[in-house]
């Protein structure tokens, strides 16, 4: 079960938002009937997208993970 404030990994591209599968976001809200509101930020903490996502669109970030900069 994914909880609020947990890091999740996007499983599908969201091209309209410039997001790709593998991008990491933070769960802001868990909806009672399923799904999540997830915030994606840049390296300075600026919000890039705040999306309502279905359970099958994200996975919990587990184990050691290396976050990488895109376009660096």
């Amino acid at each position: 079960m994914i909880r609020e404030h947990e890091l999740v990994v996007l499983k599908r591209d969201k091209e309209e938002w410039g997001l790709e599968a593998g991008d990491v976001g933070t769960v802001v809200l868990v909806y009672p009937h399923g799904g999540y509101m997830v915030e994606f930020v840049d390296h300075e903490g600026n919000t890039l997208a705040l999306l309502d996502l279905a359970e099958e669109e994200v996975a919990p970030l587990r184990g050691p993970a290396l976050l990488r900069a895109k376009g660096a």
Side-chain angles (χ1 to χ4, degrees):
M1 171 180 234
I2 296 175
R3 298 181 180 162
E4 288 181 10
H5 310 293
E6 190 170 341
L7 294 177
V8 293
V9 178
L10 189 62
K11 294 169 71 175
R12 301 179 182 144
D13 292 350
K14 293 289 185 181
E15 294 175 9
E16 63 274 23
W17 294 98
L19 299 173
E20 299 174 353
D23 286 348
V24 176
T26 303
V27 175
V28 176
L29 182 65
V30 176
Y31 292 115
H33 299 291
Y36 311 99
M37 179 184 292
V38 180
E39 181 179 31
F40 295 88
V41 299
D42 65 14
H43 69 286
E44 295 178 335
N46 300 308
T47 300
L48 300 174
L50 186 61
L51 304 177
D52 291 331
L53 299 171
E55 294 178 24
E56 60 271 5
E57 294 181 288
V58 294
L61 184 64
R62 299 281 189 236
L66 177 62
L67 304 180
R68 299 183 186 274
K70 294 193 307 187

